[in-house]
Amino acid sequence: MAKKVTSKTPLFGNKRSHSCKATKHARKPNLQKVTFDGISVRMSARELRTLKKADKAA
């Protein structure tokens, strides 16, 4: 099991039909499974992108 590194959680809201009827739905974060030094972690795609950018600059 990969350890979750990020603190991102789903955003909840309502879907609205043409008749304005509300239905609950969730927007889930884009979590990716990545391995660092043999340790498997789950982090968001944006965090991974920032990490790669910082690693490239250094």
Side-chain angles (χ1 to χ4, degrees), residues 41-54:
V41 294
R42 285 176 59 200
M43 61 185 347
S44 69
R46 179 167 296 234
E47 291 171 337
L48 182 60
R49 186 175 162 196
T50 305
L51 196 65
K52 284 183 179 180
K53 186 177 178 181

Side-chain angles (χ1 to χ4, degrees), residues 14-56:
N14 287 323
K15 279 192 176 182
R16 294 284 178 166
S17 67
H18 181 66
S19 63
C20 259
K21 188 171 255 188
T23 328
K24 291 283 186 189
H25 81 291
R27 292 179 187 264
K28 297 179 183 168
N30 185 6
L31 296 180
Q32 303 294 321
K33 194 172 174 183
V34 187
T35 306
F36 290 113
D37 300 327
I39 299 169
S40 182
V41 294
R42 285 176 59 200
M43 61 185 347
S44 69
R46 179 167 296 234
E47 291 171 337
L48 182 60
R49 186 175 162 196
T50 305
L51 196 65
K52 284 183 179 180
K53 186 177 178 181
D55 190 37
K56 188 177 180 182

